[in-house]
């Protein structure tokens, strides 16, 4: 699947799906994912491996999580080469003062936003899609 690259079609076709649960970001030293954990994302950096995992899993493993957040999937098949899609989405949320950590995966883009602002964020993204569709 190549995904959509046209910005107008991406925005107009976007559905923001708020996933259940609270997630946190954790840094695991020396690139190791602790046994028994199944993070939704891991990324190796020079300083350690960043994990995104359910808050309860981090607590159970004794890991200090940062940025308690909700996970929003942008349900539109976006191309990894699409230009401006995440810029438009994150600018929309920035205008409202909503922090966002974006992750691009093969099929979709994903946003992690503060727990208290998640419903507001999905509403703003719905409005962005509606404006692009009209």
């Amino acid at each position: 699947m190549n995904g959509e690259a046209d910005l107008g079609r991406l925005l107009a076709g976007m559905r923001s799906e708020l996933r259940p649960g609270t997630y946190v970001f954790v840094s695991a030293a020396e690139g190791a994912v602790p046994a028994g954990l199944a993070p939704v994302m891991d990324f190796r950096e020079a300083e350690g491996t960043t994990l995104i995992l359910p808050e309860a899993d981090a607590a159970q493993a004794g890991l200090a999580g940062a940025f308690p957040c909700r996970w929003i999937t942008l349900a539109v098949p976006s191309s990894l080469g699409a230009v401006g899609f995440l810029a438009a989405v994150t600018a929309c949320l920035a205008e409202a003062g909503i922090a966002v950590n974006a992750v691009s995966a093969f099929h979709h883009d994903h946003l992690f936003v503060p727990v208290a602002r998640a419903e507001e964020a999905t509403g703003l993204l719905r409005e962005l899609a509606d404006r692009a569709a009209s």
Side-chain angles (χ1 to χ4, degrees):
M1 174 197 273
N2 292 330
E4 182 60 62
D6 179 83
L7 180 58
R9 287 196 293 262
L10 281 168
L11 292 172
M14 174 181 68
R15 288 185 340 275
S16 54
E17 297 177 351
L18 183 60
R19 294 175 176 251
T22 299
Y23 294 82
V24 291
F25 285 67
V26 171
S27 182
E30 301 179 23
V33 175
L37 288 181
V40 297
M41 194 237 29
D42 62 272
F43 192 90
R44 291 190 180 122
E45 300 178 281
E47 300 84 358
T49 299
T50 297
L51 309 174
I52 303 174
L53 63 156
E55 184 177 46
D57 292 358
Q60 186 173 14
L63 299 171
F67 192 69
C69 54
R70 296 284 308 274
W71 175 6
I72 299 171
T73 296
L74 302 178
V76 61
S78 55
S79 167
L80 289 168
V83 175
F85 180 54
L86 279 178
V89 167
T90 57
C92 172
L93 297 179
E95 273 185 37
I98 299 175
V100 60
N101 287 280
V103 175
S104 294
F106 191 84
H107 298 285
H108 302 287
D109 294 293
H110 307 272
L111 309 175
F112 293 87
V113 301
V115 171
R117 309 281 310 267
E119 297 288 341
E120 179 185 1
T122 56
L124 290 168
L125 295 172
R126 236 182 336 271
E127 291 172 12
L128 177 62
D130 290 346
R131 283 193 308 272
S134 53

